[in-house]
Amino acid sequence: MSVKILGTGSYLPPKVVTNDDLARTLDTSDEWIYSHTGIHSRHVAEADDCTSAMAAKAARKALEAAQVAPADIGLIIVATSTPDYATFPSTACLVQAALGCAETGAYDLQAACAGFVYALEQARCWVKVNAGKKALVIGAETLTRIVDWRDRGSCILFGDGAGAVVVGDVPDEEGPAAHSILWADGNGARFIYREGGTRLPAQPGMLPIPYLVLQGHDVFAFAVRSLAKVTNQLCEKLGTTPADLDRVFAHQANGRIIEAVARRMKLPIEKFYLNLETTGNTSAASIPVALDEAVRKGELADGAKIVLCGFGAGLTYAGTYMQWPYL
Ligand code: UT7
């Protein structure tokens, strides 16, 4: 039996906010943002789009591409740090209802920007032990609703969107070897966080909507180390080398991070898929959005050796080596 990605889909909300737009209300410039991040613009959800709505839109496209009916989905995992509700119900349950799936397990997975890679690995394992069933894996985020638009050191980075894949098995086939690494380092928990959970008792004067807090330098350094480490170790595990990879789909956090990873790994930057110039950092959505774009542009041939790798708050970091579309 082999497990594979049967179809991909994505959704980016139509409203685009450029760096010049930000510079009208913030002490920043297109020149500064682009030279420090590689980002020119990002998509921002309007009032009628929320994380579950964008997730459902991306999921419908993935189902259509996979030619799978909602009734055939047995599991929905939504990787997100920006669920519709603060704690429950899960965004995945809302997506399940929106798609009209029945007898389907549904839950959210919180591993920040590495969440899609974590969720994909869970879906792969679930499909292996539930032969004939299909899983929907979604990364969806509305980060623009939790950033402090007065903080030029963080708000310029983020955008909204959703990406989805359908995972299923092929009974009479043996796919090529794949492998995943899921890691975390909670010592860096304070490098990116958002207050407002139950860590502290409610305080008088607490902000009604706590904002994302980011220590950019620390996260930058961790990102470069962790993406290179995960990719190298995946290649080592599979008995191959990074130079043999056709494409790396790294979390689209900052173009300078990806350039530094390429330098550290002595790989040409062209091996790294880049779309953050027009998406910004969409957290758990960034890898499936990039994958879907590459598939639809015909840039991902069957058998291509690829690594998906992400890092994020936690700190988490994770990667999957696969020969497209086999997991
Ligand atoms: O999914 C994971 C999420 N997080 C990340 O990936 C974040 C990773 N880190 C980064 O991407 C970068 O650290 C940032 C883009 C956030 C910041 O870039 P930096 O090159 O590390 O800038 P910095 O924080 O060292 O700031 C340098 C200067 C400071 O001014 P002074 O103190 O030197 O006068 C900042 O106040 O640049 C200033 N600055 C800005 N200036 C204009 C910071 N943000 C801006 C801005 N526009 N937007």
Side-chain angles (χ1 to χ4, degrees):
M1 179 228 247
S2 68
V3 177
K4 62 203 267 195
I5 291 180
L6 303 173
T8 65
S10 63
Y11 173 79
L12 296 169
K15 181 177 171 185
V16 170
V17 173
T18 65
N19 295 343
D20 285 332
D21 293 333
L22 294 181
R24 284 192 199 103
T25 54
L26 205 59
D27 181 14
T28 189
S29 63
D30 178 50
E31 195 282 324
W32 193 98
I33 300 173
Y34 189 70
S35 63
H36 286 73
T37 68
I39 297 166
H40 261 314
S41 60
R42 69 285 294 142
H43 294 259
V44 174
E46 293 194 86
D48 57 344
D49 254 334
C50 57
T51 299
S52 68
M54 293 192 295
K57 287 173 189 167
R60 282 193 192 96
K61 291 187 188 166
L63 288 167
E64 195 186 325
Q67 296 185 294
V68 166
D72 294 329
I73 293 296
L75 180 70
I76 300 174
I77 311 176
V78 177
T80 187
S81 300
T82 47
D84 285 19
Y85 291 89
T87 47
F88 45 77
S90 71
T91 304
C93 286
L94 305 174
V95 172
Q96 185 215 1
L99 297 178
C101 307
E103 298 185 353
T104 310
Y107 63 95
D108 289 359
L109 186 150
Q110 215 297 71
C113 308
F116 178 77
V117 178
Y118 270 64
L120 189 64
E121 176 62 2
Q122 289 197 350
R124 186 185 70 80
C125 296
W126 182 86
V127 165
K128 281 226 159 194
V129 293
N130 288 277
K133 303 230 173 179
K134 293 173 179 58
L136 195 46
V137 183
I138 306 170
E141 301 281 12
T142 322
L143 263 298
T144 64
R145 298 227 170 119
I146 63 162
V147 292
D148 182 350
W149 287 101
R150 299 160 305 181
D151 176 13
R152 66 180 184 173
S154 63
C155 75
I156 49 125
L157 293 171
F158 298 102
D160 301 329
V165 301
V166 178
V167 178
D169 65 332
V170 185
D172 305 323
E173 197 179 61
E174 212 47 61
H179 189 67
S180 291
I181 288 173
L182 310 181
W183 278 332
D185 178 4
N187 293 311
R190 296 296 283 179
F191 291 170
I192 321 185
Y193 65 91
R194 185 186 179 213
E195 215 54 271
T198 54
R199 191 179 76 86
L200 300 170
Q203 303 282 335
M206 199 180 233
L207 284 170
I209 305 176
Y211 297 119
L212 173 155
V213 180
L214 169 70
Q215 289 186 33
H217 268 288
D218 296 306
V219 176
F220 195 111
F222 171 77
V224 176
R225 275 198 314 274
S226 63
L227 292 177
K229 180 175 164 186
V230 156
T231 307
N232 281 329
Q233 295 221 2
L234 283 168
C235 290
E236 204 174 296
K237 174 85 187 171
L238 273 297
T240 183
T241 61
D244 203 32
L245 291 171
D246 294 305
R247 217 77 202 265
V248 179
F249 290 84
H251 168 43
Q252 305 286 305
N254 178 330
R256 305 292 96 89
I257 290 175
I258 295 176
E259 284 166 12
V261 173
R263 277 197 302 277
R264 180 178 273 237
M265 298 186 67
K266 300 187 174 46
L267 291 178
I269 188 70
E270 292 71 29
K271 277 215 195 266
F272 290 78
Y273 191 87
L274 284 172
N275 69 349
L276 53 76
E277 182 169 345
T278 55
T279 62
N281 175 350
T282 58
S283 189
S286 89
I287 293 173
V289 166
L291 261 187
D292 182 50
E293 260 188 34
V295 168
R296 285 173 198 268
K297 285 199 243 160
E299 289 185 21
L300 204 43
D302 279 4
K305 295 173 185 154
I306 65 171
V307 162
L308 319 178
C309 52
F311 68 93
L315 298 165
T316 54
Y317 54 128
T320 295
Y321 173 100
M322 60 186 290
Q323 287 187 39
W324 184 260
Y326 293 94
L327 277 168

